[in-house]
Amino acid sequence: MLTIPADARPELRRWFAPERPGPLIFEQVARTGRGRCRVDRWPDPRVVLAELPGNYALRGDPGYLADGDLDDVAGFVEAPPEWLPALRALDPATAVWDRLVAALPAAVAVPPPARDVRLLTAADAPALAALDEESAWIHETWGGPEVLAAAEVAYGATAGGGLASVAVPFYVGGGHEDIGVATVPAQRRRGLSTACAAALIADVRTRGRTPTWTTSPDNTASLAVAARLGFVPVREDVLYAVRTVVPG
């Protein structure tokens, strides 16, 4: 497949329109410059792939895929249902991961920022890099801890001698920002996820966007944080786990 230059990415936006709450892989690529977009041909593509580390979005007609086009895809794929047979041809073990997408109504007030929560800066890159393996996914859509820290979009709380919780705009769109929160296991159940997410929500709203929250229907901890903050479910969705394992 052909990699599209960064200045041509906006021409692919129609393939992912209209924007809706949830995984905004293409928008994250187009707006942050991270990741890449590939097509089967240029111009007039018939297959479009937007990709970030471990996260992908597919559009178009899977019948136009050539052998080897998706051989390097390994992660979670957002795509219409007609793509599932093509993905299972690549990986017969491809699993369907149920997702629940929620949005925060404009009328819902969020708590003021807690004193121990602050905006992370470039100086916090080592602390982000030191997060435990279970929490390291939080910076993957930004291209790593250094890039995320330098972007100054994440909020964190320190406890136990290190960074304990981080809230990030995991996907940035034109009208929405989908929030990701990671808290290290030893510091959970202390309200840190809620506090960090509340601080981030205030920032998202100053940018004129709607905060959104995507999680698994069985992730009771994540659902509880979203409920405390006032998020309201808006739709159900799925991701396809290709050559990867659905988190437990």
Side-chain angles (χ1 to χ4, degrees):
M1 295 182 76
L2 304 173
T3 299
I4 298 304
D7 60 0
R9 289 172 184 166
E11 298 181 44
L12 299 175
R13 182 164 277 119
R14 64 182 179 85
W15 288 86
F16 301 91
E19 181 182 308
R20 59 179 185 167
L24 299 170
I25 292 100
F26 169 77
E27 290 295 335
Q28 179 76 1
V29 173
R31 293 175 183 275
T32 69
R34 315 315 304 175
R36 61 178 176 172
C37 292
R38 291 189 286 167
V39 298
D40 66 313
R41 67 180 187 184
W42 190 260
D44 301 321
R46 298 162 299 185
V47 176
V48 178
L49 173 65
E51 55 187 291
L52 294 159
N55 297 269
Y56 306 82
L58 273 165
R59 294 294 186 274
D61 186 343
Y64 287 107
L65 283 176
D67 290 343
D69 277 352
L70 302 182
D71 280 355
D72 58 350
V73 169
F76 301 108
V77 180
E78 187 271 322
E82 59 266 26
W83 276 93
L84 182 55
L87 294 174
R88 283 195 167 144
L90 293 169
D91 173 20
T94 293
V96 178
W97 189 19
D98 292 326
R99 310 296 282 154
L100 181 65
V101 182
L104 189 65
V108 173
V110 296
R115 286 183 298 174
D116 56 349
V117 174
R118 61 180 178 82
L119 182 69
L120 302 184
T121 68
D124 294 297
L128 280 167
L131 286 171
D132 64 293
E133 184 178 353
E134 189 176 339
S135 305
W137 62 269
I138 197 67
H139 48 65
E140 66 183 10
T141 60
W142 286 86
E146 293 81 9
V147 179
L148 175 60
E152 297 192 358
V153 293
Y155 281 81
T158 301
L163 192 59
S165 185
V166 184
V168 175
F170 202 65
Y171 298 113
V172 175
H176 308 85
E177 293 190 26
D178 202 53
I179 293 174
V181 184
T183 299
V184 299
Q187 301 297 334
R188 291 174 184 169
R189 303 183 186 276
R190 296 182 53 203
L192 297 179
S193 293
T194 303
C196 290
L200 176 57
I201 286 167
D203 249 13
V204 172
R205 283 176 162 174
T206 64
R207 292 190 281 270
R209 297 178 179 133
T210 298
T212 66
W213 192 281
T214 303
T215 191
S216 303
D218 59 354
N219 189 337
T220 55
S222 180
L223 291 171
V225 174
R228 282 195 292 272
L229 291 166
F231 283 86
V232 176
V234 294
R235 66 184 180 88
E236 297 177 350
D237 203 351
V238 300
L239 293 175
Y240 301 119
V242 179
R243 303 184 181 107
T244 195
V245 177
V246 172

